[in-house]
Amino acid sequence: MKFTTEQLYNRITGDEDARVCKDIPDAACNDQPHNFFAYLWANLLGKIADEITSAKLVIPWLFGLLGVPAAFTGFIVPIREAGVLLPQLAVAAAVRNLKIRKFVWVIGAVLSALSLLGMAWAAVTLEGNNAGWIFILMLVIFSLSRGICSVSAKDVLGKTVSKSRRGALMGWSASLSGIAILMVGIWMSSFDLGDSSLTVFAGLLISGAVLWIIAAVIFARIEEQPGATEGGGNALEVAIKQLRLLVDDAEFRRYVLARTLLLSVALAPPFYVLVAQKNTESGLMGLGALIIANGIASSISAPIWGYMSDTSSKRVMAIAAVGAGILALFTCSAIWLEWDLVTHEIGFAIIFLLLNIMHGGVRLGRKVYLMDMATGENRASYVAVSNTIIGVMMLAGGLIGLVGDKFGAVATLLVLGILSLLAAFYIMTLKDVSDPE
């Protein structure tokens, strides 16, 4: 079985007889094929669980069935996104105190599962305000748990999988999860979710919990070598010192600014949905269709983005940002000029597919860039500080909705498209940190 694992690893990475072991401990070299696939499968299961319990799609839909007031619905996405990012300074400090860090991810995965089970219980036993409060509480726990997973996963990845192999790993993980999500979307499109019983949605939440438990078991089997614990210290003291990275580390500061500009791509999808809903009469952008578009986009583009990131992650971010910017300008022009072929249901489906491809490139490129820029000593700090700053900026970026209220969704897309193009130009001024062979 070990031979089969190594053979598959060699085919995917192209290592063959020359094992690449850059910037990871020598003792971890022989375990790299095993760790590659353990990380791959755990990450894959987590991605599927996130999609079938999506805070942007599934939970809001469920709130409608439960009669939860709209005031609760407004808190779903901010809690889900910012709740993952903002607490990570303290988490990074705690992670640095541990020589073996994989169990931090395992704890986060188990807590994620328990919070989803709490949501499933609320879905079948509560309604209205009571259901809303329990869901919000469970979502807070879920988001904090995912934050623990995020900061520890990158640190473990940096210790167990070599530089120039991480992009391929992330690419294949996104691709395989995209295929699985595509199948889920097809299944969900096969019946009317609006008339479905609450047990269907409870089943999705329970399935997500089960996937997280399996992922935790797999991740626990990663062979991780003990790492340095310098920089652990007091969480608050370390957090203050870490924030100084924005002042003392010019290269890191420029990366954070670039990532902030790239929020223009992340903030765009809801406005594309609004534009599509206004200009089509079908249920094209329904729950199942959205999941299908996301799955196709990931399966098509992720491996390409991954291999490109191993050559130049900076270029990947720039290409994806340019693509998102041009797509936004094209969509705005199509609406204003009433191009029926583009504004047709199929046209919007293709537009949404391309948007997800560009968003995938942005996400994968900036992750690989950060991993390659960091070292074993500062990786957890880089991840925590950048995610914390982006969490705050994401909340501030929500103010872009004011543009939509006053000038409409199309005008908002225009603003975001221009910002995406500016992000691309700025990214090309960054240092190229990739290490191609």
Side-chain angles (χ1 to χ4, degrees):
M1 184 65 178
K2 184 177 180 181
F3 173 78
T4 302
T5 299
E6 289 210 16
Q7 187 178 52
L8 183 57
Y9 171 80
N10 291 339
R11 283 183 174 274
I12 290 177
T13 64
D15 271 4
E16 297 179 352
D17 295 329
R19 180 62 49 77
V20 176
C21 288
K22 299 178 181 179
D23 79 339
I24 65 173
D26 291 338
C29 189
N30 290 333
D31 294 323
Q32 190 166 207
H34 166 80
N35 290 335
F36 184 96
F37 287 108
Y39 193 101
L40 173 64
W41 291 120
N43 198 39
L44 167 64
L45 294 175
K47 286 179 180 291
I48 298 172
D50 276 345
E51 194 67 32
I52 65 175
T53 60
S54 171
K56 294 181 179 180
L57 297 172
V58 176
I59 294 178
W61 207 305
L62 182 53
F63 270 24
L65 293 179
L66 294 172
V68 176
F72 289 95
T73 305
F75 286 103
I76 295 176
V77 172
I79 290 175
R80 172 65 180 87
E81 300 298 332
V84 170
L85 299 178
L86 292 178
Q88 291 192 25
L89 279 177
V91 173
V95 168
R96 296 301 300 171
N97 279 321
L98 303 173
K99 292 184 177 180
I100 301 295
R101 295 152 191 168
K102 64 181 181 180
F103 293 111
V104 176
W105 194 95
V106 172
I107 291 172
V110 172
L111 290 175
S112 297
L114 293 176
S115 62
L116 290 176
L117 291 176
M119 294 182 197
W121 171 80
V124 296
T125 60
L126 303 174
E127 60 183 17
N129 287 331
N130 292 334
W133 283 116
I134 295 298
F135 264 88
I136 292 298
L137 175 61
M138 292 297 103
L139 193 59
V140 169
I141 297 173
F142 182 81
S143 298
L144 295 176
S145 302
R146 297 293 287 111
I148 292 174
C149 288
S150 178
V151 71
S152 57
K154 292 178 177 64
D155 209 42
V156 172
L157 177 63
K159 293 172 61 182
T160 58
V161 178
S162 178
K163 195 173 185 177
S164 81
R165 294 293 173 258
R166 297 164 190 158
L169 170 58
M170 293 179 183
W172 276 101
S173 174
S175 178
L176 292 174
S177 63
I179 294 172
I181 292 166
L182 173 60
M183 301 305 295
V184 172
I186 293 174
W187 170 72
M188 294 179 74
S189 298
S190 66
F191 56 91
D192 186 356
L193 287 174
D195 295 330
S196 297
S197 66
L198 294 173
T199 55
V200 172
F201 291 90
L204 290 175
L205 293 168
I206 293 172
S207 297
V210 171
L211 290 175
W212 275 116
I213 293 297
I214 297 173
V217 172
I218 295 174
F219 203 89
R221 298 190 63 212
I222 289 177
E223 298 292 338
E224 179 188 358
Q225 299 298 318
T229 59
E230 290 80 5
N234 176 269
L236 181 59
E237 179 182 349
V238 173
I240 294 174
K241 291 181 179 179
Q242 289 173 336
L243 284 174
R244 283 202 59 82
L245 285 171
L246 294 171
V247 177
D248 300 333
D249 192 328
E251 182 181 336
F252 175 66
R253 182 173 63 250
R254 285 167 58 80
Y255 164 79
V256 172
L257 178 56
R259 188 176 171 186
T260 300
L261 291 172
L262 287 174
L263 286 178
S264 57
V265 181
L267 293 171
F271 298 100
Y272 277 93
V273 173
L274 292 177
V275 170
Q277 288 175 336
K278 184 177 180 180
N279 289 275
T280 63
E281 298 179 355
S282 71
L284 172 68
M285 305 305 288
L287 186 56
L290 283 173
I291 293 176
I292 290 173
N294 186 55
I296 293 176
S298 297
S299 60
I300 290 175
S301 66
I304 299 174
W305 289 133
Y307 286 117
M308 288 176 63
S309 292
D310 285 334
T311 300
S312 177
S313 52
K314 179 184 79 170
R315 190 177 301 123
V316 166
M317 289 190 291
I319 292 173
V322 166
I326 292 175
L327 184 65
L329 299 183
F330 175 79
T331 302
C332 293
S333 299
I335 297 298
W336 288 328
L337 299 177
E338 298 181 351
W339 295 342
D340 292 338
L341 185 62
V342 176
T343 58
H344 188 269
E345 296 131 8
I346 296 177
F348 273 117
I350 295 173
I351 287 173
F352 199 80
L353 177 69
L354 293 174
L355 174 66
N356 277 282
I357 289 175
M358 298 308 161
H359 190 202
V362 166
R363 288 174 58 86
L364 197 147
R366 55 95 170 163
K367 287 179 182 179
V368 175
Y369 188 94
L370 180 61
M371 293 299 299
D372 288 347
M373 178 178 64
T375 65
E377 299 302 316
N378 61 20
R379 183 174 291 110
S381 298
Y382 273 13
V383 171
V385 173
S386 63
N387 283 348
T388 300
I389 297 301
I390 295 304
V392 174
M393 296 308 297
M394 182 178 294
L395 293 176
L399 296 176
I400 193 67
L402 297 177
V403 176
D405 285 339
K406 188 167 185 178
F407 300 105
V410 177
T412 308
L413 285 185
L414 178 63
V415 172
L416 292 174
I418 293 173
L419 289 175
S420 295
L421 294 175
L422 291 175
F425 285 116
Y426 182 76
I427 288 167
M428 290 309 297
T429 68
L430 298 180
K431 177 182 177 182
D432 200 330
V433 298
S434 298
D435 186 20
E437 297 179 47

